[in-house]
Amino acid sequence: MGRGDGTGRIVSPPDADDTGTRILHVDMDAFYAAVAVLDDPSLAGKPIIVGGVERRGVVSSASYEARRFGVRSAMPVARALQLCPQAIVVPTTFERYTELSRRVMEIFRSITPLVEPLSIDEAFLDVSGARRLWGSPREIAQLIRRRVLSETGLTCSVGVAATKHVAKMASTISKPDGLLVVAEHQTLRFLAGRPVGALWGVGPKAAEALLARGIRTVADVWDTPRSVLDRALGPAMGERVWHLSRGHDARQVQTERAEKSISHEETFSHDVTDLTVLRSELRRLADRVGARLRAGGWEAGTVSIKVRLSDFSTYSRSQTLPLATNVGQRIGSAAIELLSSVELSQPVRLIGVRAEKLRPDGTGGLTLWDDDEEWRRVDDALDGARARFGRGAVTRASVLGPRRDVGAMPTNPRPDHEH
């Protein structure tokens, strides 16, 4: 199985048997790093780290050349540069990622309406109804790879299988720029030799618990009594692993996925002690969260903050709101109140705001009055100005002064799922 750095990949021949398959998992290859190369071809073939500059922040993504030195997502950039001193650090460009992601998803939806995006750079497709127009699942996968490359300049890897779980495993193994087809009748043979940690949902702790009992491969799971799996993982996880190891996965492709949360974070280029700066930054981040809530038609029932100190100790606090909201002022006020409950024993390195318990906007029912009416008008004006002139063109006056002093760097608003 591939190790995440492009070595050990397995791909199918052009005429691979795709009997009984209908699910495709399409995953862009090192998406953020690939976009950097697309925009600056001189970076091709070089180790690239996408993330914070000046050795601060964390790695959002890395090219395969950098991964071969041990560089991984979520690693501090300083550590990544120790592992790969020759790496080139480039900043994140979220608007560009969003633009290319939209174009890729449009290609998928031109093939089949049954598309389930998992993140900005991957999706499941059910092509069972597209055969008469586009050919077999293997042929559709080949078509998608050609179109993504020709229309965006980026490569993707595709897994083709009878179930979501196996299709996702197959795309991971074929990276980068590969296609792996697992016919339905080949499913058990494909799974047998895979490490148990490759099963969907088996994280490092679960894998460690299984390894401690001598369960190293999927085939080992077959020979393990359910009672042993339940004791090692708990009944719910034990049952899931038992089924997935046998290729059982009844989940369908869901074309509508409700967001669970929306968040934005900031890593400062210099650690911050000034509470005025921190409160101002929370206001700015709350405005961004509120804008995304409104754009998606959501409101939040809970607001939480994340605070990381200079020694990397991290604290989170959350508050359930009396009424769900997508008003930036209300979210910011809750975030500032939460900050007062955190003991800032050291300077602050990172701060973030998250909206949780999302529900469709307006489902909370009518009230006799709207305490946020004036702030809603402010938000409407901000949204209109940003749509016309761009996100950085207008902001609250209250966040301008402190921002000049801290030199904050944006970090990934949501964890990047990169392969």
Side-chain angles (χ1 to χ4, degrees), residues 125-165:
L125 286 70
D126 185 333
V127 297
S128 54
R131 294 169 179 259
R132 294 179 64 180
L133 187 60
W134 303 110
S136 73
R138 183 198 71 248
E139 292 170 328
I140 293 173
Q142 293 166 339
L143 171 64
I144 286 173
R145 295 183 67 243
R146 290 195 301 269
R147 285 192 56 186
V148 168
L149 180 60
S150 65
E151 296 178 32
T152 71
L154 300 170
T155 65
C156 64
S157 297
V158 185
V160 181
T163 65
K164 280 182 164 184
H165 176 233

Side-chain angles (χ1 to χ4, degrees), residues 114-272:
L114 300 180
V115 177
E116 179 182 346
L118 294 181
S119 67
I120 195 171
D121 64 341
E122 64 172 325
F124 283 117
L125 286 70
D126 185 333
V127 297
S128 54
R131 294 169 179 259
R132 294 179 64 180
L133 187 60
W134 303 110
S136 73
R138 183 198 71 248
E139 292 170 328
I140 293 173
Q142 293 166 339
L143 171 64
I144 286 173
R145 295 183 67 243
R146 290 195 301 269
R147 285 192 56 186
V148 168
L149 180 60
S150 65
E151 296 178 32
T152 71
L154 300 170
T155 65
C156 64
S157 297
V158 185
V160 181
T163 65
K164 280 182 164 184
H165 176 233
V166 176
K168 186 172 175 65
M169 289 180 69
S171 70
T172 300
I173 294 169
S174 70
K175 281 186 166 293
D177 193 20
L179 166 62
L180 182 56
V181 181
V182 181
E184 186 174 26
H185 63 86
Q186 297 172 340
T187 298
L188 291 181
R189 185 170 63 182
F190 168 78
L191 290 171
R194 304 298 156 203
V196 70
L199 292 173
W200 203 346
V202 177
K205 290 186 178 180
E208 184 179 344
L210 294 171
L211 290 172
R213 291 164 173 81
I215 306 170
R216 301 181 179 279
T217 67
V218 173
D220 292 334
V221 177
W222 301 344
D223 299 328
T224 303
R226 268 291 305 279
S227 59
V228 175
L229 294 176
D230 291 351
R231 285 195 298 272
L233 305 173
M237 176 64 79
E239 180 180 13
R240 180 194 302 176
V241 167
W242 190 90
H243 282 291
L244 291 179
S245 72
R246 289 160 171 79
H248 303 162
D249 184 0
R251 293 171 301 164
Q252 303 298 309
V253 170
Q254 302 292 324
T255 57
E256 295 183 4
R257 295 175 59 86
E259 292 204 57
K260 295 180 180 179
S261 66
I262 289 176
S263 66
H264 281 281
E265 298 177 351
E266 207 74 47
T267 298
F268 300 116
S269 58
H270 303 284
D271 296 338
V272 174

Side-chain angles (χ1 to χ4, degrees), residues 238-359:
E239 180 180 13
R240 180 194 302 176
V241 167
W242 190 90
H243 282 291
L244 291 179
S245 72
R246 289 160 171 79
H248 303 162
D249 184 0
R251 293 171 301 164
Q252 303 298 309
V253 170
Q254 302 292 324
T255 57
E256 295 183 4
R257 295 175 59 86
E259 292 204 57
K260 295 180 180 179
S261 66
I262 289 176
S263 66
H264 281 281
E265 298 177 351
E266 207 74 47
T267 298
F268 300 116
S269 58
H270 303 284
D271 296 338
V272 174
T273 58
D274 189 335
L275 277 175
T276 301
V277 172
L278 296 176
R279 291 175 185 136
S280 175
E281 191 62 19
L282 287 175
R283 284 284 184 204
R284 190 185 69 85
L285 294 172
D287 279 342
R288 293 186 66 186
V289 168
R292 285 182 57 195
L293 286 169
R294 294 188 297 276
W298 299 103
E299 56 187 15
T302 297
V303 171
S304 68
I305 65 169
K306 181 166 91 173
V307 181
R308 178 168 295 152
L309 304 183
S310 57
D311 65 352
F312 280 87
S313 57
T314 304
Y315 301 90
S316 60
R317 299 288 187 271
S318 64
Q319 176 187 121
T320 299
L321 303 174
L323 292 172
T325 188
N326 54 25
V327 175
Q329 177 73 13
R330 185 69 63 193
I331 296 168
S333 296
I336 289 172
E337 183 179 342
L338 289 168
L339 179 65
S340 66
S341 67
V342 180
E343 183 179 353
L344 302 179
S345 57
Q346 298 192 39
V348 175
R349 175 186 179 90
L350 173 148
I351 201 163
V353 176
R354 179 182 297 273
E356 302 171 334
K357 295 186 178 178
L358 306 190
R359 66 187 189 187

